[in-house]
Amino acid sequence: MDNIITKYSKIILPIYWAFLTYMLLRPGVENKEYFFMFPHLDKLIHFTIFFLLGFFFRLRFPKTPLLYFFLILISYALLTEILQDIMKLGRSLEVLDAVADTLGLSLSYYIYNKYEKFQNQI
């Protein structure tokens, strides 16, 4: 089972990362109001997508030290926020987005460590 997850992580991570980059940098569009929308929904979305990015990253590179993990992925998060502001395509830099990104990455690192310990017990 672990080999299957590792095998697919080699495919999933680059595809997900490319898709995420496109979605974060594409021109902003006016969102319609839906019944499930609430204030700061975008922060929850940022948290979730960066949680997944961090988890896929750890699946693909399980021996990455904590410092490198955060340097690489937080740099990416900050770069996308800065580019949103520079590109002037209807998006802007938001500090709370970067905070949500960092929290998602932090939780993914923690959850992956729990997952790894669980896998070693089996």
Side-chain angles (χ1 to χ4, degrees):
M1 178 69 170
D2 198 30
N3 288 335
I4 293 172
I5 293 172
T6 304
K7 177 183 173 185
Y8 286 113
S9 71
K10 293 177 184 179
I11 298 167
I12 293 172
L13 178 63
I15 292 171
Y16 181 73
W17 209 332
F19 175 73
L20 183 58
T21 302
Y22 168 74
M23 292 304 291
L24 289 171
L25 297 180
R26 73 187 181 107
V29 293
E30 188 63 34
N31 291 329
K32 296 178 183 176
E33 292 294 321
Y34 295 102
F35 72 93
F36 59 84
M37 296 183 86
F38 54 88
H40 306 294
L41 174 64
D42 64 317
K43 307 310 178 246
L44 179 62
I45 292 170
H46 271 265
F47 176 87
T48 304
I49 62 178
F50 275 86
F51 172 84
L52 290 172
L53 179 63
F55 196 81
F56 292 149
F57 189 89
R58 286 297 310 272
L59 282 174
R60 178 65 182 96
F61 304 106
K63 302 294 182 200
T64 304
L66 177 66
L67 179 63
Y68 292 157
F69 173 82
F70 280 111
L71 281 175
I72 293 166
L73 296 177
I74 291 177
S75 295
Y76 170 74
L78 292 175
L79 180 64
T80 57
E81 285 298 319
I82 291 167
L83 287 173
Q84 285 176 2
D85 200 46
I86 291 173
M87 293 170 65
K88 304 288 185 211
L89 294 174
R91 294 181 177 251
S92 61
L93 184 148
E94 291 188 37
V95 174
L96 288 179
D97 284 350
V99 170
D101 299 345
T102 303
L103 291 173
L105 292 170
S106 300
L107 184 63
S108 72
Y109 196 90
Y110 175 78
I111 296 292
Y112 181 83
N113 285 345
K114 293 292 185 185
Y115 164 77
E116 199 172 49
K117 286 179 185 174
F118 178 74
Q119 287 294 325
N120 290 337
Q121 290 178 353
I122 295 177

